[in-house]
Amino acid sequence: MKLINGKEISKSIKDEIKAEVEALKAVGKRLPKLVVVLVGDNQASQVYVRNKERGCQYTGMLSEIIRRDNNCTQEELLKIIDDLNHDDHVDGILVQLPLPKQIDEQAIIEAIDPTKDVDGFHPRNIAKLFLNEEGLVPCTPAGMMAMLDAIGYDLDGKEVCVVGRSNIVGKPVSLLALARNATVTIAHSHTKDLPKVTSRADVLIAAIGQPKFFTKEYIKEGAVVLDVGMDRDENNKLCGDVDFEDVKDKCHAITPVPGGVGPMTIALLLKNTMKAYKMRG
């Protein structure tokens, strides 16, 4: 069993970006800048934002966090986004989700300039992903593709089963796998006989948010398992959607939780910011 170490892979990506930033500094060029907008006091969101800030610091990119309290109105947030859209020194804009209930998340996503949409959630970027055109790709799905690349795993002709159909992970990662000539099945809560469906997959992508749901009867012998879950078990210990101890001996390769897919999301966010910087010239 090969452990797919997201911390190591993400560090190698961040090191590449760091070298690019240092090369820009050396010739006196403007540096890439990411702006994160954080509304409210969601504890998980604050941790995510802090990690994004640390990632920028590590690579040498410029970063800024704009904070607003839970009473922020949609109009106020749209004004912030409009200002950032028109700021030539800003390359990436990320509005941390979830947002307070008085704000329409989709309206906020659609207000971001798609060339600065480093989360990859703008409809124009999703359309480019659907059409297999160059654009900004959602970070977690892109991170999973980078993990497969890092272990030298070719999806061509392989069966991939994605369990979970969210717009953030399930649907985009399915399109990325399809673009690599995989045969893709999207399973979900209404799928009948789920173990039969998942156990024929060469690659299982688990993204349902249920702790230790996937046990060895769901896994094909020699499969690659990518676990997107960030859950808590019965002892309040961080775990994934996959029962790691139960399935590990059946897998060719598997991501741990923590230290698997999670760190990749930050690395690909930074990579998207650099990409947006280059696209903007």
Side-chain angles (χ1 to χ4, degrees):
M1 184 272 295
K2 183 196 297 275
L3 196 66
I4 310 175
N5 191 324
K7 285 185 179 178
E8 287 183 3
I9 300 167
S10 67
K11 185 178 182 300
S12 69
I13 292 170
K14 286 188 283 190
D15 284 343
E16 288 174 11
I17 297 167
K18 186 176 183 179
E20 287 189 77
V21 173
E22 286 173 352
L24 291 170
K25 271 186 193 171
V27 294
K29 291 270 186 80
R30 180 181 73 81
L31 301 183
K33 182 175 180 179
L34 170 66
V35 177
V36 178
V37 183
L38 176 60
V39 181
D41 54 6
N42 182 291
Q43 290 301 308
S45 291
Q46 292 193 40
V47 171
Y48 294 146
V49 168
R50 195 155 54 243
N51 288 339
K52 288 161 186 174
E53 187 176 32
R54 285 175 184 155
C56 286
Q57 288 170 350
Y58 181 82
T59 59
M61 283 184 178
L62 304 177
S63 68
E64 180 184 347
I65 301 173
I66 297 174
R67 290 182 169 88
R68 293 293 183 271
D69 63 26
N70 271 311
N71 297 319
C72 178
T73 65
Q74 182 159 319
E75 290 70 25
E76 184 182 355
L77 187 51
L78 287 170
K79 175 67 168 62
I80 290 169
I81 292 168
D82 187 58
D83 289 344
L84 294 172
N85 283 343
H86 289 93
D87 187 338
D88 290 337
H89 295 284
V90 173
D91 303 289
I93 303 168
L94 187 151
V95 177
Q96 184 66 45
L97 305 178
L99 291 167
K101 62 181 182 301
Q102 73 271 18
I103 298 175
D104 180 348
E105 288 189 355
Q106 192 58 36
I108 297 305
I109 290 167
E110 291 182 16
I112 297 170
D113 180 342
T115 67
K116 297 186 179 188
D117 165 42
V118 288
D119 250 343
F121 295 158
H122 191 283
R124 195 177 300 176
N125 283 320
I126 295 298
K128 286 185 174 184
L129 177 60
F130 186 86
L131 296 169
N132 199 22
E133 294 180 357
E134 188 71 18
L136 296 168
V137 177
C139 303
T140 301
M144 285 187 274
M145 295 299 109
M147 292 180 113
L148 293 175
D149 290 340
I151 65 167
Y153 192 87
D154 186 359
L155 284 179
D156 196 313
K158 300 292 196 305
E159 280 210 48
V160 174
C161 183
V162 181
V163 189
R165 50 182 166 175
S166 74
N167 293 334
I168 294 172
V169 177
K171 290 176 185 175
V173 80
S174 300
L175 290 168
L176 290 174
L178 194 61
R180 293 184 176 210
N181 299 318
T183 299
V184 181
T185 301
I186 304 176
H188 44 78
S189 58
H190 291 248
T191 299
K192 290 180 169 57
D193 199 354
L194 186 60
K196 184 178 179 182
V197 175
T198 60
S199 61
R200 69 170 188 252
D202 301 301
V203 178
L204 174 65
I205 297 173
I208 59 170
Q210 293 190 36
K212 297 183 179 180
F213 179 89
F214 294 95
T215 49
K216 58 189 174 188
E217 66 265 29
Y218 289 87
I219 311 297
K220 178 181 179 180
E221 188 75 43
V224 173
V225 176
L226 303 179
D227 189 351
V228 187
M230 288 289 281
D231 313 305
R232 295 279 173 181
D233 65 12
E234 63 279 4
N235 301 312
N236 202 36
K237 187 179 176 185
L238 200 61
C239 68
D241 291 350
V242 177
D243 189 334
F244 183 88
E245 291 300 323
D246 192 57
V247 310
K248 64 180 183 181
D249 293 332
K250 204 172 181 182
C251 300
H252 165 65
I254 184 171
T255 59
V257 177
V261 175
M264 297 299 296
T265 302
I266 302 294
L268 270 295
L269 169 66
L270 300 172
K271 193 169 183 176
N272 268 355
T273 303
M274 179 59 81
K275 187 175 184 178
Y277 171 86
K278 290 174 181 175
M279 283 165 49
R280 290 169 44 73

